[in-house]
Amino acid sequence: MEPASAIAQVLDEVGPRLKRLRTQRGVTLAALSEATGVSKSTLSRLESGQRRPSLELLLPIAQAHQVPLDELVGAPEVGDPRVRITPRTVNGTTVLPLSRQPGPHQTYKMVLPPTRKTPEPCTHEGYEWLYVISGTLRLVLADHDLTLEPGEAAEFETRLPHWFGTTGEGPVEVLSIFGRQGERMHIRAKPRRRAAADR
């Protein structure tokens, strides 16, 4: 339904709702007029749909009936705000999609297992933004070998060879936002300390 049609339908239903509420409470038009300061003829035209409802008319009527304004206009009930996410496991990594609608950016929460510690760099179009929630993330990006601690973030073009995983010391929780368009890299991380054997 078009927005204009939906609004017109809501307004058309206000009059019958006002009349039903008044008659259920046994209130006459004269008594409601006295309580609200709105003339009987205006109230009658509101109930019959001959007069469009306005805030100035509905507020005193809502106060007189001691009901919320949205009860007079029939505002839709607020739906259940809870997001039910179905996690999936990919090569030992738990992935929870947080984006509910298709679009240029997709957001995921990932839990990386300690076994994800061998770099396997890949490249593809787009860019990625990572934020570490817990654990220590290892990010290999082109010639960089970095670690990110909780609260640190990295942003990079995915056309560069990249891989992220753990240091092998425990799982890592990370938020990932992936976009299709390339963007310059902004790293907030410190170089990974290489073991003597790596040198």
Side-chain angles (χ1 to χ4, degrees):
M1 184 181 291
E2 293 293 323
S5 300
I7 291 171
Q9 183 177 338
V10 168
L11 291 176
D12 288 343
E13 293 171 356
V14 171
R17 189 175 288 108
L18 290 175
K19 185 170 185 177
R20 186 166 53 250
L21 180 63
R22 180 179 61 79
T23 54
Q24 284 174 349
R25 298 187 172 213
V27 178
T28 64
L29 280 173
L32 186 59
S33 174
E34 188 177 336
T36 60
V38 179
S39 70
K40 280 175 56 179
S41 61
T42 299
L43 290 172
S44 178
R45 281 182 289 148
L46 268 176
E47 291 184 359
S48 65
Q50 295 174 359
R51 172 79 183 258
R52 281 293 188 194
S54 66
L55 196 58
E56 291 81 8
L57 294 174
L58 293 179
L59 276 175
I61 295 173
Q63 290 172 346
H65 288 311
Q66 296 186 339
V67 297
L69 186 62
D70 58 0
E71 188 173 320
L72 296 185
V73 296
E77 292 184 9
V78 176
D80 189 341
R82 292 173 295 179
V83 178
R84 291 174 172 82
I85 300 171
T86 303
R88 54 191 175 92
T89 303
V90 181
N91 298 326
T93 297
T94 302
V95 180
L96 296 92
L98 302 179
S99 304
R100 295 169 44 168
Q101 301 293 333
H105 297 90
Q106 295 298 312
T107 307
Y108 304 91
K109 177 183 175 184
M110 294 185 281
V111 182
L112 314 177
T115 53
R116 180 167 164 157
K117 59 182 181 178
T118 304
E120 297 176 358
C122 65
T123 61
H124 51 85
E125 289 297 317
Y127 72 92
E128 191 153 6
W129 182 86
L130 299 173
Y131 176 83
V132 181
I133 300 171
S134 67
T136 301
L137 182 78
R138 182 182 176 192
L139 172 64
V140 176
L141 181 67
D143 296 330
H144 298 278
D145 193 342
L146 309 160
T147 57
L148 289 85
E149 302 293 337
E152 290 190 296
E155 185 178 359
F156 54 90
E157 290 185 5
T158 55
R159 287 181 292 179
L160 295 169
H162 65 281
W163 170 91
F164 58 90
T166 73
T167 58
E169 298 170 358
V172 179
E173 281 185 286
V174 63
L175 285 180
S176 167
I177 300 177
F178 177 75
R180 297 185 190 136
Q181 301 301 319
E183 216 173 75
R184 210 176 245 183
M185 181 178 84
H186 304 288
I187 291 286
R188 295 178 184 85
K190 56 180 180 279
R192 180 173 180 261
R193 294 191 187 93
R194 295 180 181 271
D198 293 338
R199 293 174 184 165

